[in-house]
Each structure stands twice: as structure tokens, then as C-alpha cells.
Amino acid sequence: MTGHPENVTEFERARLAEAIGRAISARSETGKSGIAAAVLRDGRVISEAENEVHLQSDPTRHAEMVAIHRAAQALDTTDLSGCVLISTLQPCEMCLSAMRFAGIDRVIFAATKANVALKYFAFPHLEIDDFQRGDFVAIGGVDEHRILHLYAHGTE
């Protein structure tokens, strides 16, 4: 089920605002792209990450993937049930799949697929609803106006 921005907690909204700031800063760092993510659980930040695809020469090092990896290490488990993923950009198909395998059941993101360049999605015919099962909640468009300039034309 797709959630609504009014269902985002103040803590989640503040962490997304921080991620937006990190994405804007990362854009000017060598090897990084302006995409940031975090994994939250029980009112605390478990991990934070920026896109490292070019920094690590690894096409799987999306910000969401790096944040999931770091959260699993920090919690010493592959089961991230009860965690929330925060991202500045709607997660791509690879990242959504990793979230689902990890058991993450809530994702909150700023820029939505409908408003960004299609280069961010390898399978544009797949929609976020295709990744939903059970209690999975996706809430997009939260503070989108603050970050959309990075992704609207695919120039981040």
C-alpha cells in the first residue's frame, strides 16, 4: 500500500531533510553522486550512505544498497524487519528488491519516479507497487521540491 506524506513522523522527516543536505553536498564530492539514504529503527539512525557507484567502480553501490549493507553490519543480521529506509530519490528496482529481501517494510523518499529522468530506473515498466506485499508502505514526494533539481534532467 502506498502511504501519504502526512503519515511521516517528525523524526523521519528530519532524517530525510538531513539526507537531502548530504545528497546536495555529495554531488560536489569526487566520485559521489547526489543521492543519499539512511536506515532507521526504533527512533535512531542505524546507517547513512551516499551513492558510491563511481567512487567504488561498482554499479551496485547505490546509496540505498550501501545503507542496507551498513545497517545489516551494524545490527549483525540480514533481517532488517522494523527498519525504515529513507532516500532522496525513489529507490530503483534493484534497491527495492534488496529492501524486500532484507525485510524492510517502510520506505520514505523525496523525488518520485514520475518527476525525474528515466535514467534512474533500469526497468521503467516496473512500478513501486510491483514490489509491495503484506504491510509494505512506500511514501514518496516528501519534500520533493528541495531535491528535484538534482534529478529532473538526470544531471546529478
Side-chain angles (χ1 to χ4, degrees):
M1 85 175 44
T2 302
H4 299 283
E6 63 269 10
N7 294 331
V8 176
T9 68
E10 287 303 314
F11 177 74
E12 292 166 337
R13 199 172 285 278
R15 300 302 70 80
L16 181 58
E18 289 173 0
I20 289 170
R22 288 188 292 109
I24 291 168
S25 293
R27 183 174 192 236
S28 63
E29 292 181 40
T30 302
K32 289 192 177 181
S33 297
I35 302 169
V39 175
L40 317 175
R41 180 189 267 173
D42 298 327
R44 65 186 183 106
V45 177
I46 305 300
S47 66
E48 296 178 323
E50 291 81 39
N51 184 302
E52 297 180 355
V53 168
H54 300 293
L55 185 67
Q56 301 294 334
S57 297
D58 182 343
T60 69
R61 300 295 284 176
H62 291 194
E64 299 91 342
M65 298 291 281
V66 176
I68 290 167
H69 171 83
R70 290 178 181 166
Q73 285 188 321
L75 297 172
D76 195 28
T77 183
T78 59
D79 181 6
L80 300 181
S81 299
C83 290
V84 176
L85 183 94
I86 301 287
S87 182
T88 57
L89 176 62
Q90 180 174 324
C92 73
E93 308 85 3
M94 174 181 66
C95 296
L96 285 166
S97 294
M99 283 177 46
R100 302 313 293 135
F101 276 104
I104 294 173
D105 53 16
R106 182 172 165 93
V107 59
I108 300 164
F109 54 93
T112 59
K113 180 179 178 179
N115 294 324
V116 301
L118 282 182
K119 83 170 205 167
Y120 300 108
F121 301 93
F123 302 96
H125 65 284
L126 290 175
E127 298 298 332
I128 201 162
D129 290 345
D130 295 322
F131 293 87
Q132 296 184 357
R133 69 171 197 270
D135 293 335
F136 181 76
V137 175
I139 303 173
V142 179
D143 291 335
E144 184 175 44
H145 67 281
R146 294 188 56 221
I147 195 80
L148 194 57
H149 66 281
L150 291 186
Y151 313 128
H153 303 290
T155 57
E156 93 349 301

